[in-house]
Amino acid sequence: MTQKPFYLCSREYKPDPTVLDFEKVKVGTEQLLIIAGPCAVESEEQMSTTAAAVKAAGGHVLRGGLFKPRTSPYSFQGLGMEGLNLLIDAAKEHNLLTITEVMDLEHVEKLAGSVDILQVGSRNMQNYPLLRQLGKLDKPVLLKRGLSATVEEFLAAAEYILVEGNNKVILCERGIRTFQNHFRFTPDISAIPLVHELSHLPILLDPSHCSGNSSWVSTIAKAGIAAGADGLMIEVHPSPEQALSDGQQSLVPGQFLTLMKEVRKVAGAVGRTL
Ligand code: PEP
Ligand code: MN
């Protein structure tokens, strides 16, 4: 008999939701996890201002990319390991957890020892050696859906992590490629209830990369929570017009605070807490 490609991720294998316990938030319960911060770590001031805003609005995890998978090789590629302490120090100052993207096998060990959650970006969803390596760790991994991946392919990618022994996996819907060209990507809201039906793993929504435009982030975020997402990943920057990546879709702290107030209302309406 051939094994289902996402057997360990499936409800057949494990009927109850997988819960990741971050002390303040238990992801996979009624509690929502909020990850926010800039697309890329740029400076001490940028990180510390953003961290303060994320904390004040009720966020839990500070994000910030060190290694950026940019479409153009001529765009800002991230500060690399030089930015690591800027992320860690800003998070510590405001009592937040940390997440950053790992793109390369050679950075896995160092980043796993330094941050609370490792992010696998959309473009690396099917980087199987990377997934297997992360599967050997005892560390939460946030796996973003590939730009053109089906939900089955998404779960099969998560399976590469689980099959190596690490079941601390959080999925993240970040929008897919469709024929519509008004938004950067199309938020696949339907993937959220579908993942919940097929899998015990928690799933977040990233409305920032879905839309590519700050005006739509809040609306898409609320739709995601209403559809059952276990949390959100949102790009926030103190001065988006100066951001070195994804400024167009980044919220300023005030907009993020408003979003959180609105999301809290939707959360209450669907039995979730924030
Ligand atoms: C990001 O989170 O900044 C990012 C690059 O996301 P994605 O991999 O979904 O494009
Ligand atoms: Mn980004």
Side-chain angles (χ1 to χ4, degrees):
M1 192 184 82
T2 41
Q3 189 76 272
K4 191 171 173 170
F6 53 92
Y7 179 65
L8 298 175
C9 296
S10 74
R11 290 271 183 187
E12 284 149 76
Y13 175 72
K14 183 174 180 288
D16 295 333
T18 285
V19 174
L20 276 79
D21 190 350
F22 291 103
E23 289 181 20
K24 275 183 216 123
V25 189
K26 292 181 177 43
V27 189
T29 67
E30 78 288 350
Q31 300 170 357
L32 300 177
L33 180 74
I34 305 295
I35 302 174
C39 183
V41 172
E42 296 167 7
S43 70
E44 188 180 337
E45 198 196 329
Q46 170 227 26
M47 290 311 293
S48 119
T49 310
T50 310
V54 170
K55 186 69 184 184
H60 310 107
V61 185
L62 183 65
R63 62 156 285 154
L66 306 172
F67 300 94
K68 295 306 304 174
R70 304 304 298 279
T71 301
S72 165
Y74 307 114
S75 302
F76 175 62
Q77 303 285 302
L79 293 182
M81 289 300 179
E82 275 177 39
L84 183 57
N85 284 338
L86 301 181
L87 171 67
I88 295 173
D89 294 348
K92 200 184 276 173
E93 192 185 334
H94 296 280
N95 198 17
L96 293 163
L97 298 168
T98 48
I99 182 170
T100 200
E101 177 168 348
V102 57
M103 287 213 298
D104 199 312
L105 279 173
E106 68 172 308
H107 300 139
V108 169
E109 198 183 330
K110 169 87 177 152
L111 293 178
S114 310
V115 299
D116 298 296
I117 309 173
L118 292 170
Q119 175 174 330
V120 177
S122 217
R123 289 151 193 86
N124 268 315
M125 188 202 82
Q126 287 173 311
N127 182 337
Y128 299 125
L130 180 64
L131 299 176
R132 282 197 188 274
Q133 192 62 29
L134 297 175
K136 296 188 175 106
L137 308 175
D138 179 25
K139 192 88 200 172
V141 176
L142 180 120
L143 177 65
K144 298 188 88 174
R145 182 178 178 185
L147 329 176
S148 301
T150 64
V151 166
E152 282 79 6
E153 287 164 345
F154 188 19
L155 294 174
E159 188 87 358
Y160 272 83
I161 304 173
L162 270 70
V163 81
E164 295 293 336
N166 184 359
N167 62 0
K168 294 182 180 165
V169 174
I170 305 170
L171 302 169
C172 183
E173 167 61 46
R174 46 78 73 213
I176 53 171
R177 247 296 121 86
T178 67
F179 56 82
Q180 77 75 22
N181 57 7
H182 188 81
F183 296 126
R184 188 174 178 197
F185 294 97
T186 299
D188 186 6
I189 299 294
S190 63
I192 297 164
L194 177 57
V195 163
H196 279 147
E197 185 178 289
L198 297 174
S199 175
H200 51 83
L201 295 174
I203 179 163
L204 310 188
L205 178 72
D206 168 353
S208 308
H209 289 87
C210 280
S211 62
N213 188 320
S214 57
S215 347
W216 297 100
V217 171
S218 180
T219 306
I220 299 169
K222 286 180 278 187
I225 296 305
D230 297 295
L232 299 167
M233 171 180 259
I234 301 199
E235 287 187 338
V236 177
H237 194 288
S239 39
E241 66 291 343
Q242 279 157 26
L244 298 178
S245 82
D246 286 350
Q248 260 210 321
Q249 67 199 32
S250 299
L251 303 184
V252 294
Q255 290 170 319
F256 178 60
L257 186 64
T258 306
L259 173 148
M260 288 288 279
K261 285 182 184 155
E262 293 180 11
V263 163
R264 215 166 262 129
K265 287 189 211 157
V266 176
V270 293
R272 310 300 291 263
T273 57
L274 180 56

